[in-house]
Amino acid sequence: LTKEAEVILIVAESFSTDDLKINLPPGSSWEVVPHQTVLFALKLNLVPTTASPVTFDPPPGPYDGPIQVTLSTDDDATIHYTTDGSSVSQNSPSAPSPLVLELVDLGAHTLRAISVNAFGVASQPAGGSYLLLGPPTVTATPEGGQHDNPLTITLAADRDDCTIYWTLDGSDPSTKAANLYEESILLEEDGLYTLRARAVADSGVEGPLLAADYQVGEPAAAEAPDSPDIFEPETSPPPTEDV
């Protein structure tokens, strides 16, 4: 029984209230009343034996960043809750249904909640874990710098539900011209490469840009500039004067 109800029981023969033995849920009541053509009928006022459970919107699971979680019940009730995974009871913090909780800090948040209806009946505990992941981040192994030829670069994201895009010419890896990362990047020719990479979560959230410069092999030697022609003026001894 989850809602308050009124029940009329018609008794086929006369009875004495002293002979009645009625077991009702706590808070329920009964009385003898006339009903239609019957002078004596039992009227039962039944209160809920269980409270509506608390529902969570959105449901527990992984999310890209801060979210708002709405806790609510089907009936007017008070919601008692915890946000640290501890057991919930009627001594826990409470608020009327619906209740909105903001989850801001990245990491795991375990919510627990019960509802308590107007008759003081509590529901079964409900809840789950919310994991706030944040935008996906890409790392490259090895890091940028000078390396021998050939060089193999491995890209990895800090979460599974994302795709990595990359370029080697310094262009934005978010464009359609970017390469989809499916296997390690092999650099077999000497030269300077400008790696740019970004991870995009399945939800569409883009992570920060990874930028690294790789010098594969020895850098090309700089050519010495041509020496300018040096003009040397003709010189002759000064004329001598006859004495």
Side-chain angles (χ1 to χ4, degrees):
L1 185 64
T2 59
K3 294 183 179 295
E4 188 174 9
E6 181 180 286
V7 179
I8 299 294
L9 299 179
I10 299 177
V11 183
E13 57 185 43
S14 60
F15 60 89
S16 170
T17 56
D18 295 335
D19 297 331
L20 294 177
K21 294 182 179 180
I22 303 176
N23 294 320
L24 297 177
S28 299
S29 62
W30 63 273
E31 60 180 323
V32 177
V33 296
H35 179 71
Q36 298 179 355
T37 59
V38 179
L39 293 178
F40 300 101
L42 287 179
K43 179 182 178 182
L44 307 180
N45 297 299
L46 304 177
V47 301
T49 54
T50 60
S52 298
V54 179
T55 59
F56 296 75
D57 183 29
Y63 294 90
D64 290 317
I67 59 172
Q68 290 185 335
V69 182
T70 301
L71 283 61
S72 61
T73 62
D74 292 338
D75 305 317
D76 291 336
T78 299
I79 295 177
H80 297 259
Y81 64 94
T82 62
T83 59
D84 58 2
S86 60
S87 299
V88 62
S89 69
Q90 296 190 41
N91 294 323
S92 302
S94 63
S97 176
L99 163 66
V100 177
L101 298 177
E102 290 193 8
L103 305 183
V104 177
D105 296 333
L106 298 182
H109 302 259
T110 302
L111 305 185
R112 297 280 185 266
I114 60 172
S115 68
V116 178
N117 63 21
F119 304 99
V121 178
S123 70
Q124 291 295 317
S129 180
Y130 291 80
L131 181 60
L132 304 188
L133 299 170
T137 301
V138 178
T139 56
T141 305
E143 296 180 348
Q146 185 170 355
H147 300 273
D148 294 334
N149 184 340
L151 174 64
T152 299
I153 303 174
T154 302
L155 302 180
D158 62 350
R159 43 188 285 194
D160 295 330
D161 59 334
C162 60
T163 304
I164 299 175
Y165 298 92
W166 59 276
T167 62
L168 284 177
D169 59 2
S171 61
D172 187 349
S174 299
T175 65
K176 293 183 179 180
N179 301 294
L180 172 64
Y181 182 76
E182 297 178 309
E183 59 184 5
S184 299
I185 303 168
L186 178 61
L187 304 180
E188 298 181 291
E189 297 183 4
D190 290 354
L192 179 62
Y193 299 86
T194 302
L195 173 67
R196 298 289 184 269
R198 190 190 304 275
V200 181
D202 293 346
S203 62
V205 173
E206 292 188 352
L209 178 68
L210 168 70
D213 293 330
Y214 291 85
Q215 174 64 55
V216 179
E218 294 296 330
E223 295 183 1
D226 294 336
S227 299
D229 294 335
I230 300 176
F231 174 74
E232 295 183 357
E234 294 183 1
T235 59
S236 59
T240 60
E241 296 179 0
D242 294 336
V243 177

